[in-house]
Structure formats: C-alpha cells, structure tokens
Coordinates of all heavy atoms in Angstrom, one line a residue:
T1 N 16.9 -11.1 -33.9 CA 16.9 -12.4 -34.7 C 15.9 -13.4 -34.0 O 15.6 -13.2 -32.8 CB 18.3 -13.0 -34.8 OG1 18.7 -13.4 -33.5 CG2 19.3 -12.0 -35.4
R2 N 15.7 -14.4 -34.7 CA 14.8 -15.5 -34.1 C 15.5 -16.1 -32.9 O 14.9 -16.4 -31.9 CB 14.6 -16.6 -35.2 CG 13.7 -17.7 -34.7 CD 13.6 -18.8 -35.7 NE 12.9 -18.1 -36.8 CZ 11.8 -18.5 -37.4 NH1 11.2 -19.6 -37.0 NH2 11.2 -17.9 -38.3
R3 N 16.9 -16.3 -33.0 CA 17.6 -16.8 -31.8 C 17.5 -15.8 -30.7 O 17.4 -16.3 -29.5 CB 19.1 -17.0 -32.3 CG 20.0 -17.5 -31.1 CD 21.4 -17.8 -31.5 NE 21.6 -18.9 -32.4 CZ 21.6 -20.2 -31.9 NH1 21.3 -20.4 -30.7 NH2 21.8 -21.2 -32.8
Q4 N 17.7 -14.5 -30.9 CA 17.7 -13.6 -29.8 C 16.2 -13.6 -29.2 O 16.1 -13.5 -28.0 CB 18.0 -12.2 -30.3 CG 19.4 -12.0 -30.7 CD 19.7 -10.6 -31.4 OE1 18.9 -10.2 -32.3 NE2 20.8 -10.0 -31.1
L5 N 15.2 -13.7 -29.9 CA 13.9 -13.8 -29.4 C 13.7 -15.0 -28.5 O 13.2 -14.9 -27.5 CB 12.8 -13.8 -30.6 CG 11.4 -14.0 -30.1 CD1 10.9 -12.8 -29.3 CD2 10.5 -14.2 -31.4
A6 N 14.1 -16.1 -29.0 CA 14.0 -17.4 -28.3 C 14.8 -17.3 -26.9 O 14.2 -17.7 -25.9 CB 14.5 -18.6 -29.1
V7 N 16.0 -16.8 -27.0 CA 16.8 -16.7 -25.8 C 16.1 -15.7 -24.8 O 16.0 -16.0 -23.6 CB 18.2 -16.3 -26.1 CG1 19.0 -15.9 -24.8 CG2 19.0 -17.4 -26.8
S8 N 15.6 -14.6 -25.3 CA 15.0 -13.6 -24.4 C 13.7 -14.2 -23.8 O 13.5 -14.0 -22.6 CB 14.6 -12.4 -25.2 OG 15.7 -11.7 -25.8
L9 N 12.9 -14.9 -24.5 CA 11.7 -15.5 -24.0 C 12.1 -16.6 -22.9 O 11.4 -16.7 -21.9 CB 10.8 -16.1 -25.1 CG 10.2 -15.1 -26.0 CD1 9.5 -15.8 -27.2 CD2 9.2 -14.2 -25.2
A10 N 13.1 -17.4 -23.3 CA 13.5 -18.5 -22.3 C 14.0 -17.8 -21.0 O 13.8 -18.3 -19.9 CB 14.6 -19.3 -22.9
T11 N 14.7 -16.7 -21.1 CA 15.3 -16.0 -20.0 C 14.1 -15.4 -19.1 O 14.1 -15.5 -17.9 CB 16.2 -14.8 -20.4 OG1 17.2 -15.4 -21.1 CG2 16.8 -14.1 -19.2
L12 N 13.1 -14.9 -19.8 CA 11.9 -14.4 -19.0 C 11.2 -15.5 -18.3 O 10.8 -15.3 -17.1 CB 10.9 -13.8 -20.0 CG 11.1 -12.3 -20.4 CD1 10.0 -12.0 -21.5 CD2 10.9 -11.4 -19.2
V13 N 11.0 -16.6 -18.9 CA 10.4 -17.8 -18.2 C 11.2 -18.2 -17.0 O 10.7 -18.4 -15.9 CB 10.2 -18.9 -19.2 CG1 9.7 -20.2 -18.5 CG2 9.1 -18.5 -20.3
A14 N 12.5 -18.4 -17.2 CA 13.4 -18.8 -16.1 C 13.3 -17.8 -15.0 O 13.3 -18.2 -13.8 CB 14.8 -19.0 -16.6
A15 N 13.4 -16.5 -15.3 CA 13.3 -15.5 -14.2 C 12.0 -15.5 -13.5 O 11.9 -15.4 -12.3 CB 13.6 -14.1 -14.8
A16 N 10.9 -15.7 -14.2 CA 9.6 -15.8 -13.6 C 9.5 -17.0 -12.7 O 8.9 -17.0 -11.5 CB 8.5 -15.8 -14.6
Q17 N 10.1 -18.1 -13.1 CA 10.0 -19.3 -12.2 C 10.9 -19.2 -11.0 O 10.6 -19.8 -10.0 CB 10.4 -20.6 -13.1 CG 9.4 -20.9 -14.1 CD 9.8 -22.0 -15.0 OE1 11.0 -22.4 -15.1 NE2 8.8 -22.7 -15.7
A18 N 12.0 -18.5 -11.1 CA 13.0 -18.4 -10.0 C 12.5 -17.3 -9.0 O 12.9 -17.2 -7.9 CB 14.3 -18.0 -10.6
A19 N 11.7 -16.3 -9.5 CA 11.3 -15.2 -8.6 C 10.5 -15.8 -7.4 O 9.6 -16.7 -7.6 CB 10.4 -14.3 -9.4
P20 N 10.7 -15.3 -6.2 CA 10.0 -15.7 -5.1 C 8.5 -15.3 -5.2 O 8.2 -14.2 -5.6 CB 10.6 -15.0 -3.9 CG 11.4 -13.8 -4.5 CD 11.7 -14.2 -5.9
K21 N 7.7 -16.2 -5.0 CA 6.2 -16.0 -5.1 C 5.7 -15.7 -3.8 O 6.2 -16.2 -2.7 CB 5.5 -17.3 -5.7 CG 6.1 -17.7 -7.0 CD 5.1 -18.3 -7.8 CE 5.6 -18.7 -9.2 NZ 6.7 -18.2 -9.8
E22 N 4.7 -14.8 -3.7 CA 4.1 -14.6 -2.4 C 3.4 -15.8 -1.8 O 2.5 -16.3 -2.6 CB 3.1 -13.4 -2.4 CG 2.6 -13.1 -1.0 CD 1.7 -11.9 -1.0 OE1 1.9 -10.9 -1.8 OE2 0.9 -11.8 -0.1
K23 N 3.8 -16.3 -0.7 CA 3.3 -17.5 -0.2 C 2.1 -17.2 0.6 O 2.0 -16.2 1.3 CB 4.4 -18.2 0.7 CG 4.0 -19.5 1.2 CD 5.1 -20.1 2.0 CE 4.7 -21.4 2.6 NZ 5.7 -21.9 3.5
G24 N 1.1 -18.1 0.6 CA 0.0 -18.0 1.4 C 0.3 -18.5 2.8 O 1.4 -18.1 3.3
L25 N -0.5 -19.1 3.4 CA -0.3 -19.7 4.8 C 0.0 -21.2 4.7 O -0.5 -21.9 3.8 CB -1.6 -19.4 5.6 CG -2.0 -18.0 5.7 CD1 -3.3 -17.9 6.5 CD2 -1.0 -17.1 6.4
Q26 N 0.8 -21.7 5.6 CA 1.1 -23.1 5.6 C 0.2 -23.8 6.6 O 0.4 -23.9 7.8 CB 2.6 -23.3 6.0 CG 3.1 -24.7 6.0 CD 3.0 -25.4 4.6 OE1 3.4 -24.8 3.6 NE2 2.3 -26.5 4.5
A27 N -0.8 -24.6 6.0 CA -1.7 -25.4 6.9 C -0.9 -26.7 7.2 O -0.3 -27.3 6.3 CB -2.9 -25.8 6.1
V28 N -0.9 -27.0 8.5 CA -0.1 -28.2 9.0 C -1.0 -29.3 9.6 O -0.6 -30.3 9.9 CB 1.0 -27.8 9.9 CG1 2.1 -27.0 9.2 CG2 0.5 -27.1 11.1

C-alpha cells in the first residue's frame, strides 16, 4: 500500500542515517 511504501522508505532513511559511517581522520 502507499502507507507501507512510505513507512518502508522512512525506515530505510532512518537506518542509513543511524548506520556508522567510515570516518576519515580527525584534524586537530
């Protein structure tokens, strides 16, 4: 359904934002 699609896409976006990203180096 449209609702299932919207919830699934929102879940994908939230998971992508929460996933740890490979960090570069920390210049200080």
Side-chain angles (χ1 to χ4, degrees):
T1 66
R2 180 179 299 235
R3 178 180 288 288
Q4 289 171 321
L5 175 64
V7 169
S8 296
L9 291 173
T11 302
L12 273 177
V13 169
Q17 290 174 342
K21 304 210 181 338
E22 183 172 330
K23 186 177 175 187
L25 305 173
Q26 181 63 50
V28 294

